[in-house]
Amino acid sequence: MDFMNELLRKTNYAPKKWNKPFVRGGEDFAMIYFMSKLCSYKRDSGGCTFCTIENRALGTEGYLHQFKYLSDFIQEKTKKNILLFNRNFFDEKELPSNERKELLKEAKKYASKIISIESRPEYITENNINEMRKILGDNLEIDLSIGVETTNDFIRKYNHHKGFNMKEVYQAKKIMDSQGINFVPFVFVKPLFMAEKLAIKDTTKSIEKVLDMGAKRVSIQPMHAYKGSLGGMMIEWKKTLPPNLWSLYQILVNLKDTSKVGVQAINPTKLDPTPDYMPISNKDSFEELEAILTGREKIENAPNVPSRKEWIERLKTAKNIHPVEKLIKDYKFLKNHLKLVAPIDEEQIWRDYETIYSW
């Protein structure tokens, strides 16, 4: 077992406060949260650094049963868009193909515009995509989200522990294009083991890259953490902080076009009632910045509030540390603090930095 596998198996099982499927939504969409199995990657390799999803036993009530249980709520909330599955939709071990087909047929009854799903790229095959398009027909748009997180393969491997590379994303995108499936990537802001200044650069470059690839839109996901998760522990041990709200502002300023960019969960209390949620830094500047991030105010009108001045000063005075040195330093802290056994392969980390560290 390698270091990250052991680390993530020992952490990242923060308890959630719900034990049954539910629906969230607005006037024109419904987001469905199923009770579901662990994804194969989390089970086999420890998962991603910010995944806290637990294995929720399904018993005899499979996904189709859950969807039908929620159908009245879905009908109340939407007649246009349905986010059908916020996990790996094409992972046979997580969602067997027979249930997947029936779920698509049921969802088709309620959605009149868009059906959205998520998947890791390795499960996006020609057979799966062709089958889905055949079931849903040509009148519905299909949005397929991939947690790309960053277009830098080094950062995705060592900061995110995602287990795939950009070559696989490109291949998945090519298959999606063949059936007119929309590419909707997630891009992460400030993963663990990364300084704030680099996080701004990483997110900006990654968004530009996926837009060049033809993304329909990009969902920016600021780092968040639950108490008990690895991220939550790192925050409590004062080894990291969530990204500052003004860092999100700077990312938007850096981008040439923000028309296809959205920021998720900038006010977590509106989206997640869990009291153990650790929200984004600098809540005092939230109201001013929320108006910008949600399009109610122009970027150039950002107020020069005290929190923004403090953020600028902190970035100026932050110690410059090589990204690999910071990564290894944090790895060593976790190894000692959590009494992990697996070795940290520093030589391999430096070799990978020389070969795959680029956006």
Side-chain angles (χ1 to χ4, degrees):
M1 183 181 297
D2 66 18
F3 171 73
M4 287 299 289
N5 194 328
E6 182 185 6
L7 170 64
L8 293 169
R9 287 181 184 280
K10 195 164 185 176
T11 59
N12 272 6
Y13 283 90
K16 300 292 178 66
K17 306 299 182 183
W18 53 277
N19 57 8
K20 61 182 180 181
F22 63 95
V23 177
R24 286 183 178 150
E27 294 181 358
D28 62 353
F29 77 97
M31 184 180 297
I32 303 168
Y33 290 78
F34 290 101
M35 300 291 290
S36 56
K37 303 173 185 176
L38 284 179
C39 81
S40 296
Y41 180 66
K42 186 173 181 70
R43 186 185 63 247
D44 298 339
S45 303
C48 311
T49 52
F50 272 94
C51 178
T52 57
I53 294 174
E54 298 175 280
N55 187 18
R56 302 184 183 281
L58 292 170
T60 58
E61 299 182 357
Y63 298 106
L64 186 59
H65 177 93
Q66 294 181 66
F67 186 92
K68 290 180 177 179
Y69 164 77
L70 295 170
S71 60
D72 288 343
F73 301 98
I74 296 169
Q75 193 167 22
E76 287 177 11
K77 290 183 178 293
T78 184
K79 292 183 179 179
K80 291 184 180 179
N81 308 328
I82 292 179
L83 175 55
L84 183 59
F85 200 66
N86 60 328
R87 301 287 290 281
N88 289 312
F89 191 72
F90 299 113
D91 180 355
E92 291 286 332
K93 294 179 181 178
E94 190 174 356
L95 179 61
S97 59
N98 60 323
E99 284 195 88
R100 183 171 68 240
K101 294 175 188 177
E102 295 303 316
L103 268 178
L104 289 170
K105 291 175 184 176
E106 285 295 312
K108 186 179 179 182
K109 297 176 184 178
Y110 296 91
S112 63
K113 188 176 180 182
I114 300 173
I115 287 182
S116 302
I117 59 171
E118 296 181 19
S119 178
R120 290 174 59 86
E122 63 263 38
Y123 302 121
I124 300 174
T125 64
E126 289 186 5
N127 287 339
N128 287 336
I129 292 297
N130 292 346
E131 177 186 84
M132 178 172 63
R133 177 55 82 188
K134 183 177 180 180
I135 293 171
L136 295 179
D138 296 328
N139 294 327
L140 280 173
E141 277 192 65
I142 304 172
D143 287 355
L144 206 169
S145 295
I146 301 176
V148 176
E149 317 303 3
T150 174
T151 56
N152 185 312
D153 280 341
F154 179 91
I155 292 172
R156 191 183 314 99
K157 179 177 180 178
Y158 289 104
N159 296 77
H160 293 280
H161 196 246
K162 294 293 291 189
F164 61 81
N165 56 38
M166 281 305 294
K167 183 179 179 181
E168 293 172 89
V169 177
Y170 278 110
Q171 179 60 29
K173 173 68 166 52
K174 183 178 179 181
I175 294 171
M176 292 159 60
D177 286 345
S178 70
Q179 286 293 341
I181 310 297
N182 299 318
F183 173 46
V184 184
F186 294 109
V187 174
F188 204 85
V189 185
K190 198 185 178 190
L192 292 176
F193 327 126
M194 180 180 287
E196 189 100 2
K197 191 179 293 186
L198 177 57
I200 295 170
K201 177 181 178 180
D202 174 45
T203 304
T204 301
K205 284 183 169 290
S206 296
I207 292 171
E208 290 173 342
K209 185 70 169 286
V210 294
L211 287 175
D212 286 344
M213 289 175 62
K216 175 187 176 183
R217 66 178 182 277
V218 183
S219 293
I220 302 178
Q221 293 195 308
M223 183 260 268
H224 61 279
Y226 289 92
K227 290 182 179 178
S229 68
L230 177 58
M233 293 175 188
M234 293 286 282
I235 291 171
E236 289 179 347
W237 295 330
K238 302 187 185 306
K239 294 296 180 181
T240 192
L241 280 173
N244 191 289
L245 280 168
W246 291 110
S247 294
L248 296 182
Y249 161 79
Q250 187 60 52
I251 290 165
L252 294 180
V253 169
N254 292 344
L255 296 171
K256 298 174 184 176
D257 181 8
T258 59
S259 62
K260 295 182 179 181
V261 178
V263 182
Q264 292 198 348
I266 57 173
N267 187 357
T269 56
K270 291 182 180 179
L271 301 177
D272 197 319
T274 307
D276 290 339
Y277 191 94
M278 293 182 172
I280 201 163
S281 301
N282 278 17
K283 290 184 290 184
D284 62 306
S285 61
F286 173 76
E287 289 186 4
E288 294 91 344
L289 188 55
E290 183 189 35
I292 297 167
L293 296 177
T294 55
R296 298 198 307 273
E297 186 65 75
K298 293 183 179 179
I299 288 176
E300 56 267 26
N301 294 337
N304 197 21
V305 295
S307 61
R308 176 161 166 72
K309 293 178 182 178
E310 292 168 8
W311 168 78
I312 292 172
E313 187 62 27
R314 189 161 66 247
L315 286 185
K316 285 181 179 177
T317 58
K319 293 180 180 179
N320 288 322
I321 181 171
H322 193 284
V324 176
E325 291 177 354
K326 174 163 177 53
L327 180 87
I328 293 174
K329 181 180 178 181
D330 286 344
Y331 275 16
K332 287 181 176 179
F333 167 80
L334 289 167
K335 179 177 173 64
N336 295 330
H337 199 79
L338 296 172
K339 297 179 172 57
L340 303 179
V341 176
I344 300 169
D345 193 340
E346 296 184 41
E347 291 184 2
Q348 183 62 53
I349 293 173
W350 280 106
R351 283 196 297 270
D352 281 345
Y353 176 76
E354 295 296 330
T355 56
I356 63 173
Y357 192 93
S358 68
W359 288 273

